[in-house]
Amino acid sequence: MLVIASLVPNKMKTFMSALHLGFMVVFMILSCTGIGYLADQWLAITPIGIVIGVFSGTILAFAYLYQMTKV
């Protein structure tokens, strides 16, 4: 990845960085929601696991964004 990133122009690097952050945010929220869904099915507590999964995924995503974009 680093070798390819050094070959592309500066605007493309910025675009790829933003795309990476976007995919990571979506992945974190969806994976935590999926884990919450599985917990709902396993424990038979239907809405609670998904709600906790969405909130925890959102918190993790914003923490990741903060960590990656702080100067």
Side-chain angles (χ1 to χ4, degrees), residues 1-14 16:
M1 177 75 177
L2 293 176
V3 174
I4 295 171
S6 66
L7 298 175
V8 294
N10 194 20
K11 288 183 181 181
M12 192 64 160
K13 284 183 189 178
T14 305
M16 294 302 284

Side-chain angles (χ1 to χ4, degrees), residues 26-37:
V26 169
F27 174 75
M28 286 182 185
I29 293 173
L30 288 180
S31 62
C32 288
T33 303
I35 291 170
Y37 174 76

Side-chain angles (χ1 to χ4, degrees), residues 3-71:
V3 174
I4 295 171
S6 66
L7 298 175
V8 294
N10 194 20
K11 288 183 181 181
M12 192 64 160
K13 284 183 189 178
T14 305
F15 173 74
M16 294 302 284
S17 248
L19 190 64
H20 173 259
L21 286 175
F23 276 126
M24 288 301 293
V25 166
V26 169
F27 174 75
M28 286 182 185
I29 293 173
L30 288 180
S31 62
C32 288
T33 303
I35 291 170
Y37 174 76
L38 292 175
D40 280 344
Q41 298 301 311
W42 185 49
L43 300 173
I45 51 169
T46 302
I48 295 175
I50 290 179
V51 171
I52 290 172
V54 168
F55 284 130
S56 63
T58 304
I59 289 169
L60 284 174
F62 278 112
Y64 179 77
L65 282 175
Y66 176 75
Q67 183 70 25
M68 294 304 291
T69 58
K70 72 177 182 180
V71 178

